[in-house]
Amino acid sequence: RQLYDNSGYKSFFMTDRTYYKLRAPYGYRFFRGQGFDLAADSCVSSKTGFSLIMELRLERTTGWSRLLGSSSWGQKGFYVKDKKFTTYPTTTGLQCDEELKDEVFYKFGITRNSEGEVVMYLNGRECAKATPGVADHFAFDTSSIIVLHDGNHHYEAEGFIRRLMVWSKVLRQSQMAKLSGCVEGIYSKKECKKQQDFVPDAKRITFSSIRDRNQGRFGQGRGINSGGSWTPARNSVEEYYQVDFGSNTTLHGMKTQGDSGNGWGITSFIVKISYNKKTWISVECRRVFSTPWQGAGQNEIHNTVFQKPVKARYLRIYPLEWQGAPSLRMTFSKC
């Protein structure tokens, strides 16, 4: 546990105790041009590989923000660029597909094995894997691991960091997920080669609330191009659209639209599943699924595909962002 007083902001780093979180809930504050170096010779070997998890929030996710480098890499390293967790150079094949948000905490994970294969994680979800042909496949110069700062001010990051953990071994995907606080559901081990669109019966769909208590207009949303949508009573991230599939069903993804008449629509959401309607698990480690507003209106169809087919008895959609109001029409795709 370490205490820092950074420009008048008292912050605690590397602690889970409630006492310290209440005193400094955001963590260690770093400004552009700040950050730190780690002399990791005693705990990391460049030959055996490594694992790393850092929990941080960036004030801005547009442009370039350097997260991690090493003295032997030059400008190469791990960055956030234009809302994506990626690398420089961008030709490594390592980039996570999830769109990052400003001022939101994420857990960024990286592993590198002795053969030079690099895996990137976001909140415990494996999101990119490749063997980059640069910087000796991102092998650390363990005398200097550079965190959150860069010699070029255009690439400097700003925000808060809560935690940084480094291991001199390659952790498995399940270990990275657990250490990132990700509880996984049941995923299909087989590829979903054939998909079938379907719309559950109305009796199997419930909502947290309905706008104006108008069931016929805003208590619908069953199927793409249907007449009515689901629109909740409040514009709130606590509202949800819930489905009971009747039994465990293997889902490939879903297609979504906004309201058919008002130009409203959800532009990002998370998915939670349950097997008993009591314990809810966030799909893909609370991945934010983006359905950006393209300007073509409320009848835009967005196809959301899960990284791996997921099995669920119950499912909920929670809107995070929206255009006008969080309105939804939806068709599911099952294997």
Side-chain angles (χ1 to χ4, degrees):
R1 181 172 67 247
Q2 300 290 333
L3 170 63
Y4 299 86
D5 191 343
N6 191 343
S7 299
Y9 184 94
K10 291 185 177 181
S11 53
F12 289 89
F13 180 56
M14 295 292 287
T15 179
D16 277 329
R17 290 182 59 182
T18 303
Y19 171 78
Y20 298 103
K21 285 188 173 182
L22 290 174
R23 290 188 65 188
Y26 287 145
Y28 169 55
R29 178 74 161 104
F30 62 95
F31 296 91
R32 292 173 65 85
Q34 298 180 337
F36 47 92
D37 289 354
L38 296 179
D41 304 77
S42 61
C43 61
V44 178
S45 168
S46 61
K47 296 181 180 179
T48 59
F50 68 86
S51 301
L52 177 146
I53 297 174
M54 64 169 67
E55 182 181 3
L56 62 93
R57 135 187 168 166
L58 295 175
E59 296 300 283
R60 63 176 182 87
T61 54
T62 54
W64 289 88
S65 294
R66 191 175 193 179
L67 304 185
L68 187 71
S70 190
S71 56
S72 61
W73 296 359
Q75 288 296 135
K76 302 177 182 68
F78 295 87
Y79 291 77
V80 168
K81 178 185 182 291
D82 294 337
K83 299 187 176 293
K84 298 293 177 69
F85 181 26
T86 186
T87 63
Y88 177 79
T90 56
T91 54
T92 60
L94 290 165
Q95 178 169 291
C96 298
D97 55 358
E98 183 172 335
E99 184 175 285
L100 305 178
K101 309 296 182 185
D102 296 350
E103 301 181 345
V104 172
F105 274 98
Y106 294 94
K107 294 174 183 175
F108 298 90
I110 304 165
T111 64
R112 179 198 182 275
N113 66 20
S114 56
E115 287 75 42
E117 182 181 66
V118 175
V119 183
M120 294 166 58
Y121 296 84
L122 194 59
N123 291 335
R125 176 179 72 92
E126 180 183 316
C127 54
K129 180 191 294 186
T131 303
V134 299
D136 191 19
H137 316 303
F138 289 127
F140 276 144
D141 176 351
T142 56
S143 64
S144 178
I145 299 175
I146 303 165
V147 183
L148 300 173
H149 70 91
D150 191 282
N152 188 323
H153 73 278
H154 294 294
Y155 308 138
E156 292 170 346
E158 179 180 356
F160 295 85
I161 181 168
R162 281 180 176 161
R163 183 171 296 272
L164 174 66
M165 297 179 284
V166 186
W167 296 263
S168 186
K169 60 181 180 180
V170 180
L171 299 181
R172 298 187 303 274
Q173 189 276 331
S174 59
Q175 293 174 304
M176 293 292 283
K178 184 177 180 180
L179 287 163
S180 299
C182 172
V183 178
E184 297 190 287
I186 301 174
Y187 294 96
S188 174
K189 296 180 180 179
K190 296 181 180 179
E191 183 182 352
C192 188
K193 295 183 178 180
K194 182 181 292 187
Q195 300 91 43
Q196 176 184 351
D197 288 349
F198 77 104
V199 178
D201 293 338
K203 64 181 180 181
R204 295 198 173 278
I205 300 176
T206 54
F207 312 108
S208 55
S209 70
I210 298 172
R211 187 182 182 93
D212 300 331
R213 299 183 181 179
N214 188 340
Q215 177 77 36
R217 179 67 180 85
F218 297 121
Q220 300 295 318
R222 294 183 55 252
I224 294 300
N225 296 323
S226 58
S229 69
W230 167 62
T231 306
R234 302 175 301 154
N235 291 0
S236 168
V237 297
E238 297 177 354
E239 302 283 1
Y240 59 82
Y241 178 119
Q242 178 175 299
V243 182
D244 174 5
F245 295 110
S247 60
N248 281 358
T249 301
T250 302
L251 300 169
H252 177 255
M254 63 201 71
K255 295 176 182 177
T256 58
Q257 278 180 314
D259 184 79
S260 60
N262 291 311
W264 301 335
I266 292 172
T267 55
S268 71
F269 60 90
I270 61 171
V271 181
K272 293 187 178 184
I273 58 172
S274 178
Y275 304 101
N276 58 13
K277 210 175 178 179
K278 296 179 181 178
T279 302
W280 292 89
I281 301 168
S282 294
V283 169
E284 298 182 13
C285 303
R286 207 180 184 278
R287 177 183 176 186
V288 176
F289 296 95
S290 295
T291 53
W293 200 251
Q294 303 289 350
Q298 63 272 18
N299 290 318
E300 295 169 351
I301 298 175
H302 295 277
N303 190 24
T304 297
V305 177
F306 297 135
Q307 194 169 17
K308 294 182 289 186
V310 61
K311 294 184 179 180
R313 164 70 191 268
Y314 303 94
L315 178 144
R316 284 180 179 177
I317 303 292
Y318 287 85
L320 294 183
E321 297 173 302
W322 47 83
Q323 172 81 15
S327 296
L328 182 66
R329 290 177 286 169
M330 184 161 54
T331 295
F332 291 95
S333 175
K334 66 179 179 180
C335 299

